[in-house]
Structure formats: C-alpha cells, structure tokens
Amino acid sequence: MLAPDISLAIGNTPLVGLPGVAPDGYEIYLKLEGQNPTGSVKDRVAQYLVDDAERRGLLRAGSRILEPTSGNTGISLAAICAPRGYKLTCVMPENTSEERRTLLSAYGVDIVYSPATEGSNGAVRVAREMAEGDPDVHMPFQYGNPANPRAHYETTGPEIIRDLPDVAAVVAGLGTGGTLTGLGRRLKEHDPSTRVFAAEPEYGDLVYGLRNLDEGFVPPVLDSSVLDGRVKVDSMKALVATRELVSSAGVFAGLSTGAAVHVARRVCTPRRLPRGSKVVVVSPDGGWKYLSTGAYDPGDPETVARHLEDTLWA
C-alpha cells in the first residue's frame, strides 16, 4: 500500500481468529487496531477530529489543540498535528505508562498531568478547566464530539462487515463510548439482530483506558441504546486474559483488549448468543506501550497485579 501521508495509512486493520481462546461452539475474532500507524484505534478518531475542526474553520496554521487522554488519543493527535503545523497539549493521568509519556515528548507535545486517583475522569476535569481559561485553544473533546463515533461508523464498522458479514456480536471496551456507538449503529443497520456488548470495569476498579458509567461521568457521545449489555470485568481478569492472549494465541495486546476478550468469553453462552455465533472483539492497541508496567513479566498474575496497583490501575 502506498500512502502519500500518514493519515492515509489509517484503517483496514486485520481481523484474526482466536481458535484457542473461544469457548467450544463459538468463534471469536480480534480486530487488531494496534496495526494503525501509531499503534492504536485512536488514529481513526484523531484524523476525524482534526479533519472536522478544519472543515468548520476552527483551526489555522499554528493553532493549539488541547485534549484529555489516557495516552493513545494524544499520540494519535500528535501524529496528525505534526505534518499540519498544529501545536498540541495533552492532559493525562500521572500514572500513564512510561512509553506513552516518552512518545508524546518525542512528538514535542506539552503534557499536563491530572491526579492518578481520578483516572481519565480527572484528565477530563483538568482539561475543561484549562480550556475555559484559554479561548485561543481548540479542544476537540473526543468524549463529546460526534466525529468520534462517526469515525467508527464510516470506517471500522464497514471493515468488519466486509471481512465477516455474518458477525453476530461485537465487544469493545467502554472508554469514550465512540467505538461502541459508531460500531453499534453501523452493524445494527447491516443486521438488526447483531448484539453489542460493552466491557466495563467493576465499580472502583480502574482497568487501564476504560470507565465505569456509575462513577459520575457518562461520555456525551455514548448512545446507550445501541448496547445490548454492559458486562463487568475487574483488573485481575483483564490482566490474566491479556497474558493468555500472548501465550495461547500469539497476540501481544494491551490490557483493555484482555478485558474485552474476557467479556467476549462470558457472552459466548446459549443464554446470550446461539451456538455457532461469530463474535468480534475490538483490540484497541498492542502491548508495546505497557511493557514498562511489568504487566507481562513472568510470575503469578495476582502478584503482578498487586505490583501494578500504584503504576497502572490506580
């Protein structure tokens, strides 16, 4: 594939089967969004956010963009902004992995840290306060911008339908809500019987990059009417599933992928889906940006999880 610029290399990611992971009688496929140029699904969203702002005349040469992020959206925005001449400031939790901080610094991004204990909700709070005090910045605000779910409605959804037209269900992590909303709308237009499940952290349990809607902030872009279920997963189960993907399927994915795979297994029951159903799990990113956390280190998962509490989950 020849891409005249990086934005044209976004999308058309592989959809791969997980025969050693799916329960008997079901098929689970992983949409490997880590194959995007900066290594995450957020490349799709960043391109749509910036393109939309340009069409609306909200950006000009030298403009500064401000965005709250757990890391991936900031990295994706940095890659889109760099060739277009925009400056970027990201607000992110102070316990974000070292790899994400290093990547953002390499792009020349200004980083503002929010309290780790507040998770991504804290990054949203701080970014909003900053935007209110500076009329010269543009905050695309992925959590409330319709361009976010539109990216998945127009690109991710059609790719899944093209590659697996008889998909019965899709599972994605509940973060901004853009992936679930965009995919849900597009897949249900294709086949109204398609089911959409959200992988959601247990209350008070911060699974990296995901959110629990009961903890106070419901992303405005989330259309809950497309959801057929919100299935809870804790950080331990997410870690175990992530490590099992490496050992049994050869897939080196991020921790929210493990959470979504765990949920996919849970919904692969006759009570929720007929036997023989094909389920697609959206894998937001690869594991490269989490190596410094120790999540993939050898040893008992419970011991590793305790070690990660202050650097990852909290």
Side-chain angles (χ1 to χ4, degrees), residues 4 9 37 60 85 108 132 164 182 222 229 258 268 273 293 312:
R60 61 185 184 279
E132 289 172 0
L164 197 71
L222 175 64
C268 285
L273 294 171
T293 68
L312 182 62

PDB file of all heavy atoms in Angstrom, residues 4 9 37 60 85 108 132 164 182 222 229 258 268 273 293 312:
ATOM      1  N   PRO A   4       0.405   8.532   0.553  1.00  0.00           N
ATOM      2  CA  PRO A   4       1.112   9.806   0.411  1.00  0.00           C
ATOM      3  C   PRO A   4       1.389  10.526   1.722  1.00  0.00           C
ATOM      4  O   PRO A   4       2.323  11.306   1.819  1.00  0.00           O
ATOM      5  CB  PRO A   4       0.165  10.628  -0.478  1.00  0.00           C
ATOM      6  CG  PRO A   4      -0.601   9.603  -1.260  1.00  0.00           C
ATOM      7  CD  PRO A   4      -0.793   8.469  -0.300  1.00  0.00           C
ATOM      8  N   ALA A   9      -2.702   6.020   5.818  1.00  0.00           N
ATOM      9  CA  ALA A   9      -2.311   4.659   6.207  1.00  0.00           C
ATOM     10  C   ALA A   9      -3.163   4.142   7.364  1.00  0.00           C
ATOM     11  O   ALA A   9      -2.926   3.058   7.877  1.00  0.00           O
ATOM     12  CB  ALA A   9      -0.838   4.623   6.593  1.00  0.00           C
ATOM     13  N   PRO A  37      -1.016   3.291  12.279  1.00  0.00           N
ATOM     14  CA  PRO A  37       0.336   3.877  12.261  1.00  0.00           C
ATOM     15  C   PRO A  37       0.960   4.165  13.621  1.00  0.00           C
ATOM     16  O   PRO A  37       2.139   3.898  13.820  1.00  0.00           O
ATOM     17  CB  PRO A  37       0.148   5.155  11.442  1.00  0.00           C
ATOM     18  CG  PRO A  37      -0.961   4.828  10.506  1.00  0.00           C
ATOM     19  CD  PRO A  37      -1.898   3.953  11.302  1.00  0.00           C
ATOM     20  N   ARG A  60      -6.229  26.928  12.335  1.00  0.00           N
ATOM     21  CA  ARG A  60      -5.420  27.620  11.342  1.00  0.00           C
ATOM     22  C   ARG A  60      -3.960  27.284  11.631  1.00  0.00           C
ATOM     23  O   ARG A  60      -3.641  26.703  12.675  1.00  0.00           O
ATOM     24  CB  ARG A  60      -5.645  29.130  11.392  1.00  0.00           C
ATOM     25  CG  ARG A  60      -5.284  29.759  12.729  1.00  0.00           C
ATOM     26  CD  ARG A  60      -5.628  31.238  12.785  1.00  0.00           C
ATOM     27  NE  ARG A  60      -5.188  31.853  14.042  1.00  0.00           N
ATOM     28  CZ  ARG A  60      -5.849  31.786  15.173  1.00  0.00           C
ATOM     29  NH1 ARG A  60      -6.999  31.125  15.234  1.00  0.00           N
ATOM     30  NH2 ARG A  60      -5.375  32.373  16.263  1.00  0.00           N
ATOM     31  N   GLY A  85       1.131  21.303  11.178  1.00  0.00           N
ATOM     32  CA  GLY A  85       1.612  22.515  11.819  1.00  0.00           C
ATOM     33  C   GLY A  85       0.835  22.958  13.036  1.00  0.00           C
ATOM     34  O   GLY A  85       0.914  24.129  13.434  1.00  0.00           O
ATOM     35  N   GLY A 108       6.974  16.305  20.706  1.00  0.00           N
ATOM     36  CA  GLY A 108       7.001  17.703  21.119  1.00  0.00           C
ATOM     37  C   GLY A 108       5.718  18.171  21.770  1.00  0.00           C
ATOM     38  O   GLY A 108       5.434  19.375  21.811  1.00  0.00           O
ATOM     39  N   GLU A 132     -11.521  26.480  29.548  1.00  0.00           N
ATOM     40  CA  GLU A 132     -12.362  27.612  29.944  1.00  0.00           C
ATOM     41  C   GLU A 132     -11.537  28.866  30.165  1.00  0.00           C
ATOM     42  O   GLU A 132     -12.013  29.981  29.954  1.00  0.00           O
ATOM     43  CB  GLU A 132     -13.140  27.262  31.211  1.00  0.00           C
ATOM     44  CG  GLU A 132     -14.241  26.227  30.982  1.00  0.00           C
ATOM     45  CD  GLU A 132     -14.866  25.760  32.280  1.00  0.00           C
ATOM     46  OE1 GLU A 132     -14.439  26.252  33.356  1.00  0.00           O
ATOM     47  OE2 GLU A 132     -15.769  24.899  32.228  1.00  0.00           O
ATOM     48  N   LEU A 164     -16.322  -9.995   7.718  1.00  0.00           N
ATOM     49  CA  LEU A 164     -17.098 -11.009   8.435  1.00  0.00           C
ATOM     50  C   LEU A 164     -18.579 -10.608   8.406  1.00  0.00           C
ATOM     51  O   LEU A 164     -19.141 -10.188   9.408  1.00  0.00           O
ATOM     52  CB  LEU A 164     -16.602 -11.123   9.884  1.00  0.00           C
ATOM     53  CG  LEU A 164     -16.997 -12.370  10.655  1.00  0.00           C
ATOM     54  CD1 LEU A 164     -16.268 -13.602  10.133  1.00  0.00           C
ATOM     55  CD2 LEU A 164     -16.694 -12.191  12.154  1.00  0.00           C
ATOM     56  N   GLY A 182     -20.409   4.064  17.346  1.00  0.00           N
ATOM     57  CA  GLY A 182     -20.261   4.032  15.898  1.00  0.00           C
ATOM     58  C   GLY A 182     -20.420   2.637  15.332  1.00  0.00           C
ATOM     59  O   GLY A 182     -21.151   2.418  14.350  1.00  0.00           O
ATOM     60  N   LEU A 222     -21.684   8.679  23.889  1.00  0.00           N
ATOM     61  CA  LEU A 222     -22.183   7.320  24.059  1.00  0.00           C
ATOM     62  C   LEU A 222     -23.689   7.264  23.838  1.00  0.00           C
ATOM     63  O   LEU A 222     -24.455   7.953  24.500  1.00  0.00           O
ATOM     64  CB  LEU A 222     -21.855   6.798  25.460  1.00  0.00           C
ATOM     65  CG  LEU A 222     -22.428   5.407  25.799  1.00  0.00           C
ATOM     66  CD1 LEU A 222     -21.820   4.341  24.895  1.00  0.00           C
ATOM     67  CD2 LEU A 222     -22.208   5.077  27.262  1.00  0.00           C
ATOM     68  N   GLY A 229     -25.762  -4.906  26.361  1.00  0.00           N
ATOM     69  CA  GLY A 229     -25.310  -5.279  27.685  1.00  0.00           C
ATOM     70  C   GLY A 229     -24.017  -4.601  28.052  1.00  0.00           C
ATOM     71  O   GLY A 229     -23.175  -4.324  27.191  1.00  0.00           O
ATOM     72  N   GLY A 258      -7.506  -7.413  26.803  1.00  0.00           N
ATOM     73  CA  GLY A 258      -7.763  -8.542  27.685  1.00  0.00           C
ATOM     74  C   GLY A 258      -9.121  -8.437  28.353  1.00  0.00           C
ATOM     75  O   GLY A 258      -9.845  -9.433  28.484  1.00  0.00           O
ATOM     76  N   CYS A 268     -20.383 -15.604  25.224  1.00  0.00           N
ATOM     77  CA  CYS A 268     -20.489 -16.780  24.347  1.00  0.00           C
ATOM     78  C   CYS A 268     -21.161 -17.928  25.098  1.00  0.00           C
ATOM     79  O   CYS A 268     -20.561 -18.963  25.396  1.00  0.00           O
ATOM     80  CB  CYS A 268     -19.108 -17.204  23.831  1.00  0.00           C
ATOM     81  SG  CYS A 268     -18.448 -16.130  22.550  1.00  0.00           S
ATOM     82  N   LEU A 273     -26.100 -15.793  23.179  1.00  0.00           N
ATOM     83  CA  LEU A 273     -25.839 -15.934  21.750  1.00  0.00           C
ATOM     84  C   LEU A 273     -26.019 -17.394  21.339  1.00  0.00           C
ATOM     85  O   LEU A 273     -25.597 -18.298  22.070  1.00  0.00           O
ATOM     86  CB  LEU A 273     -24.408 -15.491  21.411  1.00  0.00           C
ATOM     87  CG  LEU A 273     -24.050 -14.027  21.592  1.00  0.00           C
ATOM     88  CD1 LEU A 273     -22.529 -13.831  21.431  1.00  0.00           C
ATOM     89  CD2 LEU A 273     -24.800 -13.147  20.593  1.00  0.00           C
ATOM     90  N   THR A 293       5.276  -1.327  32.584  1.00  0.00           N
ATOM     91  CA  THR A 293       4.422  -1.527  33.754  1.00  0.00           C
ATOM     92  C   THR A 293       4.665  -2.861  34.436  1.00  0.00           C
ATOM     93  O   THR A 293       4.243  -3.061  35.578  1.00  0.00           O
ATOM     94  CB  THR A 293       2.931  -1.466  33.352  1.00  0.00           C
ATOM     95  OG1 THR A 293       2.622  -2.607  32.526  1.00  0.00           O
ATOM     96  CG2 THR A 293       2.611  -0.179  32.601  1.00  0.00           C
ATOM     97  N   LEU A 312      -0.498   1.419  37.537  1.00  0.00           N
ATOM     98  CA  LEU A 312      -1.372   1.180  36.397  1.00  0.00           C
ATOM     99  C   LEU A 312      -2.838   1.341  36.720  1.00  0.00           C
ATOM    100  O   LEU A 312      -3.530   2.147  36.125  1.00  0.00           O
ATOM    101  CB  LEU A 312      -1.109  -0.231  35.853  1.00  0.00           C
ATOM    102  CG  LEU A 312      -1.922  -0.625  34.605  1.00  0.00           C
ATOM    103  CD1 LEU A 312      -1.582   0.292  33.454  1.00  0.00           C
ATOM    104  CD2 LEU A 312      -1.668  -2.061  34.230  1.00  0.00           C
TER     105      LEU A 312
END
